[in-house]
């Protein structure tokens, strides 16, 4: 994580009041997190900090695009991301329990690395399904589409054959086929 020193927020030297910081997130950022779904990105992170005597109130805005593999054909797809989050960092001699939007740090702390928080926030905005329709191509690779239709057709044929070869169906189960959902 030492390579992510650019994302450290050094709050000890800040005066009380409001401050704004901007960070750029790209492929090198995601390379520091092994197992990341995101292969590349072009994001701008704006952090607005309100420093108080024993707390920092952060408003974090993330906007840009990330590159993810398509769920069907594994081609790279650029997906837009826009996010806004609030984070409170409390400085205390008796640290409490961290929460999703509350971090406790000892009074001797002078900086906080925002990189893991930014990374998690970007990942929380990944859509459940990613497909080529989200990108400029609007369709998956033709060779993969052909394979999918071939195997989907074979699976449907196998299911139909299996249904026919089972023999007579118990009349109690036959009535269940007539149910409409």
């Amino acid at each position: 994580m030492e390579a992510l020193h650019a994302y450290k927020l050094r709050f000890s030297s800040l005066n009380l009041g409001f401050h704004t910081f901007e960070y750029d997130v790209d492929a090198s950022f995601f390379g520091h997190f092994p197992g990341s779904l995101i292969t590349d990105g072009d994001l701008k992170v704006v952090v607005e900090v309100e420093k108080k005597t024993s707390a920092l109130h952060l408003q974090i805005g993330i906007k840009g695009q990330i590159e993810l593999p398509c769920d069907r054909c594994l081609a790279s797809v650029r997906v837009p991301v826009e996010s806004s989050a609030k984070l409170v960092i409390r400085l205390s001699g008796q640290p409490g329990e961290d929460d999703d939007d509350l971090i406790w740090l000892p009074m001797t702390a002078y900086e906080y690395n925002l990189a893991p928080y930014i990374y998690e926030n970007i990942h929380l905005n990944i859509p459940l399904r990613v497909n080529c329709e989200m990108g400029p191509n609007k369709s998956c690779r033709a060779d993969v589409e052909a394979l999918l239709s071939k195997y989907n057709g074979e699976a449907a044929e196998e299911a139909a054959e299996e249904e026919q070869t089972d023999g007579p169906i118990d009349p109690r189960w036959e009535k269940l086929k007539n149910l409409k959902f």
Side-chain angles (χ1 to χ4, degrees):
M1 287 290 173
E2 196 57 40
L4 298 172
H5 67 278
Y7 299 94
K8 286 184 179 177
L9 177 64
R10 294 183 187 265
F11 53 82
S12 63
S13 61
L14 297 177
N15 295 327
L16 296 179
F18 291 91
H19 307 275
T20 303
F21 299 93
E22 291 186 6
Y23 302 100
D24 291 320
V25 175
D26 55 13
S28 63
F29 175 84
F30 297 109
H32 294 291
F33 296 93
S36 177
L37 293 173
I38 303 170
T39 55
D40 194 5
D42 182 23
L43 299 144
K44 179 71 85 178
V45 179
V46 178
V47 180
E48 295 175 359
V49 179
E50 179 184 4
K51 183 177 180 184
K52 296 184 178 182
T53 54
S54 63
L56 295 152
H57 294 261
L58 284 73
Q59 180 68 38
I60 301 170
I62 300 171
K63 189 172 185 175
Q65 292 185 339
I66 55 176
E67 194 168 292
L68 297 166
C70 174
D71 291 340
R72 295 185 73 186
C73 69
L74 299 178
S76 293
V77 180
R78 298 211 47 93
V79 178
V81 171
E82 190 167 345
S83 169
S84 174
K86 292 182 181 180
L87 177 65
V88 177
I89 299 175
R90 295 234 183 248
L91 302 171
S92 173
Q94 302 292 325
E97 190 172 319
D98 288 350
D99 197 355
D100 291 340
D101 56 354
L102 176 64
I103 306 276
W104 290 90
L105 293 178
M107 290 296 282
T108 57
Y110 61 93
E111 67 183 8
Y112 180 74
N113 192 346
L114 290 170
Y117 188 81
I118 292 169
Y119 175 79
E120 289 175 9
N121 208 326
I122 293 169
H123 271 72
L124 287 173
N125 287 286
I126 293 176
L128 292 176
R129 299 194 82 194
V130 177
N131 54 36
C132 288
E133 294 171 3
M134 296 174 158
N137 295 343
K138 299 292 183 200
S139 64
C140 286
R141 294 184 355 219
D143 57 333
V144 174
E145 286 287 338
L147 284 172
L148 286 173
S149 14
K150 174 185 171 188
Y151 290 114
N152 281 340
E154 287 178 8
E157 288 173 9
E158 287 176 11
E161 287 175 15
E162 187 176 304
E163 196 171 298
Q164 291 174 354
T165 59
D166 283 345
I169 298 176
D170 188 340
R172 295 174 294 179
W173 299 111
E174 187 65 40
K175 291 181 182 178
L176 291 175
K177 287 186 175 181
N178 298 330
L179 291 177
K180 303 282 187 215
F181 292 104

